[in-house]
Amino acid sequence: MSAVAEQTARDLSFRLAAAFAARRLYATGNPSLQKTLELLSNDLTTAFSSGTNEIAIALLSQGVSVAGVPLLQPPETMLKLAAHMRQRGIEIISIGRGASLAELETMFSLLNVDAAALTAVDVTQWLKDRGTHRVAVKHLEIAESKVVRSIRELYSAGRESLGKELQRAHDKGTIDVGAISELAGTMLD
């Protein structure tokens, strides 16, 4: 990971957070909102010049990832955006090359819709109904699992279970296959 990539990701995180805040404050068509979206669009164009066709904002257990670069200490304003993503069950937002200002604004509108109002809504369809085709929201929810609700939780639970079993193997020379089998069953459900 180069310093340029890290700086580009940090710059994008500031622009994303600024656009998120601007959408919360200003109505559609407001010059301040439009200027903020234009600046974000310019930074996205710069990031796309590296050859990628998609920029993702992803939640991590600690921090966020922007354009594939983990930001373990993101700007405070980015943490607010991440909190809104979490409240809505959104783990990844993907912005495709050529996303229009209207599509970006719609994405930020989605993040500002009351979380309770989105519980019975297909968010992907919500975006499409509003003409947004180059912005995607990815839920990594595990279907109807009572134990684990998301990939992040599955990873954490698996890491913890395997860590305990490997520590037991180190300390006692035995492994409890039942815990590993239960984890595998959860993954296959």
Side-chain angles (χ1 to χ4, degrees), residues 53-126:
N53 289 319
E54 184 177 83
I55 301 290
I57 302 100
L59 297 178
L60 303 175
S61 59
Q62 295 177 358
V64 295
S65 170
V66 177
V69 178
L71 301 174
L72 300 179
Q73 296 179 338
E76 184 65 31
T77 51
M78 189 63 186
L79 292 175
K80 289 179 184 175
L81 187 146
H84 275 254
M85 288 173 64
R86 261 192 196 90
Q87 289 170 349
R88 285 148 187 82
I90 299 169
E91 296 191 25
I92 300 171
I93 295 173
S94 172
I95 303 170
R97 181 186 297 269
S100 69
L101 296 182
E103 289 175 304
L104 294 173
E105 183 177 354
T106 301
M107 173 188 71
F108 291 114
S109 294
L110 169 68
L111 292 174
N112 286 301
V113 170
D114 183 45
L118 291 176
T119 55
V121 174
D122 178 353
V123 178
T124 301
Q125 191 61 47
W126 189 93

Side-chain angles (χ1 to χ4, degrees), residues 6-179:
E6 286 183 51
Q7 189 58 48
T8 299
R10 189 159 286 284
D11 291 347
L12 271 173
S13 74
F14 279 111
R15 293 285 189 218
L16 287 160
F20 169 71
R23 184 61 191 105
R24 291 180 60 85
L25 294 172
Y26 303 114
T28 299
N30 182 287
S32 295
L33 174 60
Q34 292 307 306
K35 182 65 175 171
T36 304
L37 291 171
E38 287 169 8
L39 291 169
L40 171 59
S41 182
N42 291 341
D43 279 3
L44 287 168
T45 299
T46 300
F48 286 129
S49 69
S50 69
T52 187
N53 289 319
E54 184 177 83
I55 301 290
I57 302 100
L59 297 178
L60 303 175
S61 59
Q62 295 177 358
V64 295
S65 170
V66 177
V69 178
L71 301 174
L72 300 179
Q73 296 179 338
E76 184 65 31
T77 51
M78 189 63 186
L79 292 175
K80 289 179 184 175
L81 187 146
H84 275 254
M85 288 173 64
R86 261 192 196 90
Q87 289 170 349
R88 285 148 187 82
I90 299 169
E91 296 191 25
I92 300 171
I93 295 173
S94 172
I95 303 170
R97 181 186 297 269
S100 69
L101 296 182
E103 289 175 304
L104 294 173
E105 183 177 354
T106 301
M107 173 188 71
F108 291 114
S109 294
L110 169 68
L111 292 174
N112 286 301
V113 170
D114 183 45
L118 291 176
T119 55
V121 174
D122 178 353
V123 178
T124 301
Q125 191 61 47
W126 189 93
L127 288 168
K128 286 181 182 177
D129 290 348
R130 286 154 183 79
T132 304
H133 302 285
R134 291 185 195 95
V135 174
V137 172
K138 299 176 183 174
H139 303 274
L140 300 179
E141 300 288 323
I142 306 298
E144 299 300 318
S145 172
K146 292 177 176 71
V147 179
V148 182
R149 293 179 306 158
S150 71
I151 293 293
R152 185 172 53 249
E153 289 178 16
L154 179 61
Y155 172 80
S156 295
R159 182 175 175 201
E160 184 179 326
S161 292
L162 289 175
K164 286 179 184 176
E165 292 309 313
L166 292 174
Q167 187 62 46
R168 180 180 298 161
H170 179 266
D171 295 343
K172 297 181 180 179
T174 63
I175 293 180
D176 180 7
V177 184

